[in-house]
Amino acid sequence: MERRDKINYYLDIAEVVAERGTCLRRNFGAIIVQNDEIISTGYTGAPRGRENCCDLNYCKREQLNIPRGTRYELCRSVHAEANCIISASRKTMIGATLYLVCKDAKTGKLVENTNSCAMCKRLIINAGIEKVIIRDTVDDYRIVSVSEWIENDDSLNDDMGY
């Protein structure tokens, strides 16, 4: 039996976390790992006490035909990265790695070339997380150095999709 590599092991866990997601479009799962220990998990879902889109049976962004990657202020969910970050202490996140997986809610398939939204990138930067590893396929992933998000400040772009 061949042993799963460590990065895909953590991505597999993030993928299971995504299964708790309540979004009708995309479900993300995130875990933060520091010193080879999982310190936090998060998935996409409405704030505590509010009804989830899967319970309401509709998605406002979907009703309005809003394209992927835009108008997140209309989404009722807290993103997986944000949920993961608010469940951990900052001192444990400094220098940590966030593992991120996204699945299409309708097909259950992995969403390739996914990325954190602009707001989640800001949260990740301020949390002190060092890198983000994003799953593209069952075995393939991208490693993003958070310092790249700092150097390539997307908030200075004219077209941020809003």
Side-chain angles (χ1 to χ4, degrees):
M1 181 174 113
E2 191 173 318
R3 191 171 185 208
R4 189 84 160 135
D5 66 272
K6 188 66 69 106
I7 290 175
N8 275 305
Y9 164 75
Y10 285 128
L11 287 168
D12 290 346
I13 294 170
E15 189 168 335
V16 170
V17 171
E19 292 175 12
R20 288 279 305 150
T22 62
C23 179
L24 296 173
R25 293 178 83 167
R26 303 267 189 276
N27 280 304
F28 283 79
I31 66 170
I32 298 173
V33 175
Q34 177 67 282
N35 297 324
D36 214 19
E37 181 179 344
I38 298 170
I39 61 170
S40 183
T41 68
Y43 55 86
T44 309
R48 294 180 198 276
R50 290 188 179 174
E51 288 187 87
N52 291 296
C53 292
C54 65
D55 299 322
L56 295 170
N57 291 315
Y58 76 90
C59 167
K60 184 74 160 177
R61 293 177 70 235
E62 199 167 74
Q63 282 182 337
L64 298 172
N65 292 320
I66 295 172
R68 175 182 169 194
T70 63
R71 303 291 313 270
Y72 285 118
E73 72 277 9
L74 296 176
C75 178
R76 64 184 289 107
S77 288
V78 177
H79 291 183
E81 302 96 318
N83 274 323
C84 206
I85 288 167
I86 63 176
S87 294
S89 72
R90 187 168 190 279
K91 68 181 179 182
T92 60
M93 290 187 286
I94 296 173
T97 301
L98 186 143
Y99 293 81
L100 185 66
V101 175
C102 178
K103 293 181 113 177
D104 183 281
K106 290 177 186 69
T107 67
K109 293 182 180 178
L110 291 168
V111 178
E112 291 187 42
N113 300 314
T114 196
N115 208 343
S116 296
C117 73
M119 183 57 78
C120 286
K121 286 180 181 179
R122 291 179 207 146
L123 294 172
I124 290 166
I125 291 167
N126 270 9
I129 293 168
E130 188 173 289
K131 62 184 169 183
V132 177
I133 302 179
I134 306 167
R135 173 163 276 170
D136 283 321
T137 68
V138 172
D139 295 311
D140 298 321
Y141 52 84
R142 288 170 284 129
I143 300 175
V144 178
S145 172
V146 174
S147 64
E148 291 176 28
W149 290 346
I150 296 168
E151 293 163 14
N152 302 313
D153 186 348
D154 61 5
S155 69
L156 298 176
N157 294 343
D158 290 334
D159 179 23
M160 288 189 57
Y162 298 114

